[in-house]
Amino acid sequence: MWGGRFSDKPAELMQAINVSIGFDKRLAAQDLAGSRAHAAMLRKAGVITSEDEAAIQGGLDAIAAEIEAGDFPFREEFEDIHMNVEARLRELIGPAAGRLHTARSRNDQVALDFRMWVRDACDRTIGQLRALQTALLSKAEAHADTLMPGFTHLQPAQPVTFGHHLMAYVEMFGRDAGRFADARARMNECPLGAAALAGSPFPIDREMTARALGFDRPTANSLDSVSDRDFALEALAAASLCGVHLSRLAEEIVVWTTPQFGFIRLSDAFTTGSSIMPQKKNPDAAELVRAKVGRLLGSFTQLTVVMKGLPLAYSKDMQEDKVPTFEAFDALELSLRAMAGMVADLEPVAPRMAQAAGAGFSTATDLADWLVRTLDMPFRDAHHVTGAAVKRAEQLGCDLADLPLAELQALSQGIGPDVYGVLTPQASAASRKSYGGTAPDQVRAQIKRWKEALA
């Protein structure tokens, strides 16, 4: 394509390091869409004739059909998806193909294609997050009353419900979806028409191509249009945070399936066995989701390092933007689907959860709150009395609910037998009626709110 300036072909090593068709052929759909919009605009602007545009559009349709059928001849000699399409177009329609590149550079072409691909990836990811939230909502609704221990420092803290615990992840993944939506809104400006870096002398209509390709507006600076990949970095940052949330839920699934916890069961569909230990049933799907965050963070870091020291405008370094982004979204989308499947599949072992909900003196805070409400005791004094009660129960080898009234009254004379009404895990969870609390009615209210939001 630059034979007028060069007399020799590139060296084999140059070709090997320079070629990108092996991975950027994933941009084929976006490249064809951009070319269709550009051709239509050139014809309307009077830059090319109607006959040339018709030939170009027909050739692009033929190429799309070849790609769809798996018959397109991807060739390394043409380096990338853009030149592969252009070369094939010339083979199909002749010299008219050469007019398509008028008022366009590969710089704004790849900036457009990649931006459209990342935009599509954000849309897909938001849809997959909604599917995961829906699975969590269904499971939470079925277990809005199912007791389990709430933890801090992985130590029993206060009783909660399983539905409440799952709804925490609904909130997290909701924020993740919001981050992808925010990133999508910021990237929804069309770089086509920026050309190599300075714009075009032809009477192009950038508003027309922006509208045709679903963008809100054209980018406002031709240098910036081809220079930055912050849209991909922002999407990768959102992907990394989403991966962190997926990893945390995966970790809990791994822990909960151990015999030591025994909180949930996974079916054979989401577990594997051992080659040597016949009793094993391993939560490998959760473990692999837990590990994927490393790939997501690595991709974000990789692209950040590529971009951090580049001068304006385009440098070939930026060819390295696609592989980490493709790999990250492949990993994220697989993880989201796997997690939605696991959430739908898992079943809580309610008796084991309920038993654990009362362990570790988890209703101690309820005793302190009762002392404040009933005896008008300052909370710090109530905290001290409750701590002493826990110590005494530990000495006697019993739970708080089983501590004799005389022992409690020895710590504070105003304590009456009605105190036992707050010392069960069920009563503890039911009492947390503040907005966003773990009381089953509150959990159901949040489920209803999210169902309406997702609908």
Side-chain angles (χ1 to χ4, degrees):
M1 60 186 154
W2 43 69
R5 174 66 177 84
F6 288 73
S7 56
D8 287 330
K9 292 182 178 180
E12 282 189 27
L13 276 175
M14 179 62 198
Q15 182 73 357
I17 197 171
N18 195 46
V19 69
S20 61
I21 188 60
F23 54 83
D24 68 18
K25 61 185 177 183
R26 290 181 67 161
L27 300 175
Q30 291 77 17
D31 196 70
L32 291 169
S35 291
R36 290 188 184 103
H38 189 62
M41 181 275 296
L42 290 176
R43 190 265 309 159
K44 187 175 181 182
V47 177
I48 64 174
T49 66
S50 296
E51 292 77 13
D52 281 342
E53 192 224 344
I56 289 169
Q57 298 288 9
L60 292 173
D61 289 343
I63 289 170
E66 287 181 343
I67 292 173
E68 179 70 22
D71 297 330
F72 184 83
F74 292 107
R75 288 172 282 189
E76 289 193 353
E77 64 189 281
F78 296 122
E79 291 188 14
D80 57 27
I81 185 60
H82 323 295
M83 297 313 301
N84 265 267
V85 168
E86 184 174 328
R88 182 60 177 153
L89 188 62
R90 180 175 285 272
E91 291 173 352
L92 292 173
I93 69 170
R99 301 190 186 281
L100 176 59
H101 210 55
T102 307
R104 184 175 73 171
S105 164
R106 280 199 300 175
N107 291 359
D108 62 337
Q109 192 177 358
V110 68
L112 170 71
D113 294 357
F114 191 37
R115 191 177 290 238
M116 290 175 67
W117 190 94
V118 175
R119 185 178 67 176
D120 292 343
C122 287
D123 290 341
R124 289 194 305 272
T125 303
I126 290 170
Q128 289 160 353
L129 279 163
R130 296 312 189 205
L132 174 54
Q133 287 180 292
T134 299
L136 286 163
L137 285 169
S138 178
K139 195 67 67 173
E141 188 171 33
H143 295 283
D145 296 282
T146 302
L147 286 174
M148 70 173 291
F151 297 94
T152 63
H153 309 276
L154 204 57
Q155 301 293 321
Q158 292 177 293
V160 297
T161 68
F162 189 51
H164 187 59
H165 194 107
L166 295 179
M167 288 302 295
Y169 285 104
V170 173
E171 295 289 337
M172 292 182 201
F173 294 127
R175 291 193 296 275
D176 289 328
R179 275 184 279 270
F180 284 110
D182 289 345
R184 189 201 192 282
R186 261 183 294 281
M187 75 178 68
N188 206 36
E189 297 181 345
C190 183
L192 188 60
L197 73 161
S200 173
F202 292 92
I204 60 174
D205 184 349
R206 295 190 63 208
E207 293 281 355
M208 178 182 172
T209 48
R211 287 193 303 271
L213 294 168
F215 290 97
D216 295 329
R217 63 192 71 85
T219 51
N221 183 283
S222 59
L223 273 169
D224 175 55
S225 302
V226 300
S227 295
D228 210 350
R229 295 295 185 264
D230 59 347
F231 62 89
L233 282 168
E234 187 172 6
L236 288 173
S240 297
L241 281 169
C242 183
V244 169
H245 290 151
L246 285 167
S247 184
R248 295 184 74 178
L249 178 52
E251 166 71 5
E252 295 206 299
I253 290 174
V254 170
V255 170
W256 289 344
T257 56
T258 62
Q260 291 77 12
F261 273 74
F263 284 2
I264 65 170
R265 295 190 185 96
L266 287 171
S267 77
D268 295 352
F270 287 94
T271 54
T272 64
S274 165
S275 64
I276 189 172
M277 296 168 285
Q279 83 281 8
K280 295 294 292 297
K281 195 173 186 180
N282 301 320
D284 282 8
E287 292 172 7
L288 289 165
V289 169
R290 184 175 60 185
K292 294 294 184 186
V293 69
R295 186 181 296 270
L296 301 176
L297 290 168
S299 294
F300 173 75
T301 302
Q302 182 178 343
L303 184 52
T304 302
V305 173
V306 167
M307 296 301 302
K308 71 173 183 62
L310 296 185
L312 302 184
Y314 182 83
S315 297
K316 194 70 172 191
D317 310 50
M318 292 160 69
Q319 182 168 290
E320 295 297 315
D321 56 0
K322 295 166 200 66
V323 170
T325 306
F326 293 160
E327 289 183 347
F329 276 97
D330 286 347
L332 178 60
E333 292 170 15
L334 178 60
S335 297
L336 285 167
R337 292 197 302 271
M339 184 57 75
M342 277 187 287
V343 168
D345 181 75
L346 68 83
E347 285 301 327
V349 183
R352 174 64 186 139
M353 279 187 167
Q355 179 187 17
F361 307 106
S362 65
T363 59
T365 306
D366 298 277
L367 174 56
D369 290 342
W370 184 90
L371 293 170
V372 171
R373 288 195 312 271
T374 306
L375 304 185
D376 196 26
M377 189 180 292
F379 183 79
R380 282 301 166 203
D381 294 344
H383 189 286
H384 181 81
V385 170
T386 301
V390 168
K391 183 177 181 180
R392 185 59 180 149
E394 201 168 38
Q395 291 169 344
L396 295 176
C398 66
D399 292 329
L400 276 178
D402 300 319
L403 197 62
L405 181 61
E407 294 285 351
L408 290 169
Q409 290 175 335
L411 300 172
S412 179
Q413 292 184 352
I415 297 176
D418 55 330
V419 71
Y420 292 104
V422 304
L423 296 183
T424 65
Q426 292 86 348
S428 174
S431 72
R432 308 290 166 178
K433 296 179 180 180
S434 58
Y435 182 81
T438 193
D441 287 347
Q442 274 297 318
V443 174
R444 292 188 181 94
Q446 295 301 329
I447 291 170
K448 180 175 182 291
R449 177 178 69 86
W450 267 108
K451 279 186 170 183
E452 291 171 352
L454 294 179

